[in-house]
Amino acid sequence: MKPFPPLLLYLLLPPCTLASFCPNDCSCSLPDSIICFQRRATSMPSNVPPVTKNLYLFQNGIEKLHQDDFLELESLEMLDLSQNELTELPDRVFEPLHSLRNLDLSSNQIEKISEESFAGLELLERLYLYNNAIKCIHPAAFDGLEQLLELKLQGNELTTLPALKMPRLLLLDLGFNTIPSPGPSDLQTPKLESLKLGGLGLKNLNEELLSSFKNLHELDISNNQLNAFPAVLREARGLVILSMAGNSLRSLRWEDLEHLTELQELDISNLSLQSLPENMKGAFPNLKRLTVAENPFNCLCTMAWFPTWLRHQQIQLGRTEETRCHFPPRNAGAVLERLDHRDFGCPTTTTITTSTVKTTSLTPTPITTAHSTTYSTLLKPSENPPMEADSDPPPLVPASPSSGADTGVRFSSCPSNICLNGGTCWLDHQGRHECTCPCGKAGKYCQNEDSPHLCEDVATATVNAEPEIAAQMVTSSSILLDLHRYIEMRPYIRGVRLTYRNLSGADKRPKHLNIPASYPEYTLRGLQSNSTYSVCASPLGEPRDVNSVCTEAQTSSQQTATARMGDKQLTRTLVPAVAILLLLALVAVGVGVACHVHRKRARLELECDPSQLELEGVKAGLDNGTLPQKQAEILFTPTAVQNGGLEVPLMQEHSIANNNTNTLKPSYF
């Protein structure tokens, strides 16, 4: 009689009997599945039942694979070999696995992929090779994998990428390699939905490639070196998930994102953003998750709308604890999402009617800098500005709508178009409208041409002058900036934009913050010790590359700072002691003089008894050789008080937006 084939024998056995065939140190509690976790063996387990469909062998210590390990596993659909010690894949090692659809080889030490590493896997749908040491892939390594849906290659050492001809591929992750930006010939994947190119060091994107994807829903271009918003993304209307975190964008215009109305997740963290415009509320009607961490936000009135909008729209704020305020000092270090509207310091404007008084909270008009010549005039809301003989009539300003039910309410704000030729209109505390004119313009409304040589004279006068900004005091973690001269030379500015970066550290990206012109001194804190910093100041609203004034300062080492603190403490102790000794000497001299005068007047031959002239308590302190003890002082570390408030370092440089760290859990499909 001919014996039964092994597979048929397993099929004829009852389910309760299959558990008895479970390999050693494995679990077979799930039907058709075997889980071997931390088995601590260098080879594959033996006696795996042929009916097994899912085999999990993560963290087993497996060092090598053989084709014989898979000869009878024709039903296997899922094979997880992640987090082992594999260094190579023998040719055709997986060929017996005709039914395999999911193969996870992540977090091993594989160095290369040969032409026949995946031969015979015609039905494979998911291939995970991330977090290995792969340096090269044979150009034909993926030929035959026409059913592949997901391919993950991030976290390897690839410098080139073979042409991928995968008609059904939906997800491709190439992040954290050193490959150049791929082109259309490199990725022949017409159905791609998710493309991840984070951490490749890209300075630009191949627009032809991105425009070729008609069904792209997710794009990750985080942690690259992009210094401008890619123009091709302005028309990527189908994007649902977009990550741009950790790039070198100088600015992010919301006009670039206005057509991305389908976005549900947006990551713009670590872009040196100081504020978010309020018109962002209407730009993303479908937004569910927003990440804006590691940005030095100025939590002023212009940001008061943000926490309310998050709560009202039920938008989840990613990395909440890393989304904090940097300025002003009263809000420094506060979690942005937890601030109330009153915490942003919005000014109030009171309007008077015949019967009621109404107080409304306003968002101030953004401030821009201009020429130092300022003209002012007092206007009623119903009057048009007067015109000079040689002036052009200013554009009409629409009447401000009344608020509430009272028709008698008259609300006066600075008209948006009252100043011409780029002038800035603002309203002072007495209600006067003033126009601040740019260089080369003059007049009440900046309507006249000014002498252009005045601008040149001002620029020439500053040559060879004293430094406009200087480092007044430097510690191991802070730099106190003296801005008195800088602000005095520019009385027209409303604020100063500070840009500083560490010239000695690995991360030389500049950090920016805005301070009002009422701060002639400002302390930069949370700096690295023993490092050289470049600090530049420019008028708020003007191009900083053209109008910036810079200086350099070097922070001291921790040892030097400790020595300085010790010297300061010693000085505080010695000064009172010396003062007491001087006082005692003066008392002794006074006593001697008094004794001499007394003897001379009395004409007595008696000697003066010092014991009768001693001050009570003075000698008692000297007899035992001690001085009165001064109360111990509380010493503060040089972190803290800045302009009346405490400031702590806000940014954590080790955080990255695209987290691809290893985990101890397997990748379940």
Side-chain angles (χ1 to χ4, degrees):
M1 183 177 180
K2 192 173 182 179
F4 286 105
L7 178 58
L8 182 59
L9 179 62
Y10 278 101
L11 293 175
L12 294 177
L13 292 175
C16 60
T17 309
L18 293 177
S20 62
F21 293 94
C22 190
N24 295 332
D25 301 324
C26 297
S27 172
C28 303
S29 58
L30 300 176
D32 302 330
S33 299
I34 297 177
I35 301 177
C36 305
F37 173 60
Q38 292 184 346
R39 193 171 54 92
R40 302 305 178 192
T42 59
S43 59
M44 290 279 295
S46 58
N47 301 323
V48 178
V51 294
T52 304
K53 291 185 178 180
N54 305 305
L55 181 57
Y56 300 93
L57 300 170
F58 51 92
Q59 285 194 16
N60 277 218
I62 299 174
E63 298 178 355
K64 202 163 187 178
L65 299 177
H66 302 277
Q67 194 179 77
D68 296 342
D69 298 330
F70 308 107
L71 283 179
E72 297 181 356
L73 301 180
E74 297 181 358
S75 300
L76 198 64
E77 296 180 359
M78 166 69 199
L79 177 59
D80 187 346
L81 289 166
S82 62
Q83 304 177 54
N84 281 288
E85 306 296 330
L86 298 175
T87 58
E88 61 177 350
L89 298 177
D91 291 347
R92 298 185 174 273
V93 66
F94 301 116
E95 191 171 27
L97 305 177
H98 303 300
S99 302
L100 194 66
R101 284 175 169 77
N102 306 299
L103 178 58
D104 189 349
L105 294 165
S106 62
S107 300
N108 279 278
Q109 301 174 21
I110 303 170
E111 297 182 356
K112 67 176 183 177
I113 304 297
S114 66
E115 181 179 2
E116 298 184 338
S117 293
F118 306 115
L121 300 180
E122 289 84 2
L123 299 181
L124 194 66
E125 295 179 351
R126 295 171 181 86
L127 176 58
Y128 293 172
L129 293 167
Y130 59 88
N131 290 349
N132 276 281
I134 302 174
K135 297 180 177 61
C136 62
I137 300 176
H138 191 276
F142 300 130
D143 288 356
L145 303 182
E146 296 183 357
Q147 303 300 316
L148 204 64
L149 301 177
E150 297 182 8
L151 177 60
K152 296 185 178 182
L153 292 167
Q154 70 268 27
N156 282 286
E157 301 176 17
L158 294 172
T159 56
T160 59
L161 183 70
L164 301 180
K165 302 176 182 179
M166 300 176 179
R168 300 188 63 210
L169 193 68
L170 300 179
L171 182 148
L172 177 62
D173 195 338
L174 302 173
F176 297 94
N177 286 281
T178 54
I179 58 177
S181 179
S185 60
D186 300 320
L187 302 183
Q188 301 178 33
T189 54
K191 294 187 178 181
L192 198 66
E193 295 182 356
S194 176
L195 178 60
K196 300 184 178 183
L197 303 174
L200 294 182
L202 303 179
K203 296 183 179 180
N204 53 67
L205 295 180
N206 191 303
E207 297 188 3
E208 186 179 357
L209 170 68
L210 293 181
S211 60
S212 66
F213 300 130
K214 305 303 181 184
N215 200 32
L216 194 64
H217 299 327
E218 179 180 5
L219 179 62
D220 183 354
I221 51 176
S222 62
N223 298 295
N224 281 291
Q225 300 178 21
L226 301 175
N227 54 22
F229 187 84
V232 67
L233 295 185
R234 297 189 183 108
E235 303 301 326
R237 302 176 184 269
L239 280 180
V240 176
I241 302 175
L242 175 61
S243 176
M244 301 181 61
N247 278 282
S248 303
L249 299 183
R250 295 183 178 180
S251 62
L252 184 61
R253 300 185 309 167
W254 294 102
E255 292 81 358
D256 296 331
L257 302 173
E258 62 181 352
H259 296 304
L260 306 181
T261 56
E262 299 298 323
L263 276 182
Q264 297 181 15
E265 296 184 19
L266 177 62
D267 189 347
I268 50 174
S269 56
N270 195 15
L271 295 182
S272 298
L273 301 178
Q274 297 183 10
S275 182
L276 298 172
E278 190 169 0
N279 57 6
M280 177 181 174
K281 295 191 296 185
F284 311 112
N286 299 307
L287 197 63
K288 304 298 181 185
R289 179 180 175 85
L290 175 64
T291 305
V292 292
E294 294 187 276
N295 283 302
F297 286 119
N298 291 342
C299 295
L300 302 173
C301 189
T302 52
M303 284 284 289
W305 62 273
F306 186 70
T308 305
W309 174 64
L310 291 177
R311 291 189 288 267
H312 184 265
Q313 297 297 120
Q314 297 182 350
I315 296 174
Q316 179 185 1
L317 185 65
R319 299 166 63 189
T320 303
E321 294 296 329
E322 299 173 67
T323 309
R324 296 176 179 264
C325 300
H326 189 82
F327 186 84
R330 67 175 180 273
N331 290 334
V335 177
L336 177 57
E337 186 183 27
R338 298 172 188 163
L339 294 179
D340 294 328
H341 190 276
R342 63 178 179 272
D343 297 326
F344 292 88
C346 294
T348 57
T349 298
T350 303
T351 56
I352 303 176
T353 67
T354 56
S355 59
T356 61
V357 176
K358 293 190 175 182
T359 302
T360 57
S361 180
L362 298 178
T363 300
T365 305
I367 300 172
T368 57
T369 57
H371 193 260
S372 59
T373 304
T374 303
Y375 301 88
S376 64
T377 182
L378 183 62
L379 298 178
K380 295 181 180 180
S382 60
E383 292 179 345
N384 292 326
M387 296 180 293
E388 299 180 359
D390 57 346
S391 65
D392 296 326
L396 294 177
V397 181
S400 301
S402 60
S403 59
D406 297 324
T407 58
V409 175
R410 304 184 73 184
F411 176 74
S412 176
S413 63
C414 188
S416 59
N417 297 322
I418 193 172
C419 300
L420 307 176
N421 298 314
T424 302
C425 175
W426 60 284
L427 188 67
D428 65 8
H429 65 281
Q430 296 181 353
R432 290 194 298 264
H433 297 81
E434 298 185 359
C435 287
T436 306
C437 302
C439 188
K441 300 297 179 181
K444 291 184 178 180
Y445 310 105
C446 307
Q447 74 276 14
N448 299 331
E449 294 292 335
D450 201 359
S451 300
H453 64 82
L454 292 178
C455 301
E456 301 176 358
D457 295 341
V458 173
T460 304
T462 59
V463 178
N464 299 326
E466 296 180 5
E468 298 182 23
I469 63 173
Q472 185 172 346
M473 185 177 67
V474 180
T475 69
S476 62
S477 61
S478 65
I479 297 176
L480 175 60
L481 297 175
D482 185 355
L483 302 173
H484 286 86
R485 180 173 174 78
Y486 184 87
I487 296 175
E488 288 174 359
M489 296 179 63
R490 299 165 178 81
Y492 57 88
I493 63 174
R494 302 297 186 268
V496 180
R497 179 182 179 89
L498 291 179
T499 302
Y500 63 99
R501 57 175 179 161
N502 187 354
L503 302 179
S504 305
D507 187 0
K508 295 181 174 59
R509 288 179 296 181
K511 295 182 180 179
H512 312 284
L513 55 90
N514 298 339
I515 63 174
S518 58
Y519 281 26
E521 293 182 356
Y522 191 85
T523 303
L524 300 175
R525 303 189 184 277
L527 307 180
Q528 297 292 328
S529 62
N530 198 23
S531 300
T532 300
Y533 279 84
S534 171
V535 184
C536 297
S538 59
L540 188 64
E542 295 186 9
R544 56 180 179 271
D545 295 336
V546 178
N547 302 306
S548 62
V549 178
C550 302
T551 187
E552 289 188 6
Q554 185 174 11
T555 55
S556 59
S557 61
Q558 293 288 354
Q559 291 81 358
T560 305
T562 304
R564 289 178 179 174
M565 294 298 292
D567 294 342
K568 186 181 296 186
Q569 185 176 8
L570 181 61
T571 303
R572 291 175 180 175
T573 305
L574 289 178
V575 169
V578 173
I580 292 175
L581 290 176
L582 291 176
L583 178 62
L584 291 175
L586 291 175
V587 170
V589 172
V591 169
V593 172
C595 182
H596 177 73
V597 172
H598 177 74
R599 282 185 299 174
K600 185 175 181 181
R601 287 182 179 179
R603 299 179 183 275
L604 298 175
E605 298 295 330
L606 298 176
E607 293 184 356
C608 184
D609 185 6
S611 62
Q612 299 177 359
L613 303 176
E614 288 176 352
L615 294 178
E616 183 178 358
V618 173
K619 186 176 180 182
L622 296 176
D623 288 342
N624 55 14
T626 62
L627 289 175
Q629 294 293 325
K630 184 180 179 182
Q631 184 177 2
E633 296 181 354
I634 301 175
L635 299 180
F636 291 90
T637 57
T639 55
V641 181
Q642 174 171 301
N643 301 319
L646 292 177
E647 178 172 324
V648 296
L650 307 180
M651 304 300 176
Q652 301 294 331
E653 298 297 338
H654 65 273
S655 300
I656 59 174
N658 190 353
N659 185 4
N660 285 302
T661 56
N662 296 340
T663 60
L664 297 180
K665 297 197 309 180
S667 299
Y668 294 118
F669 302 87

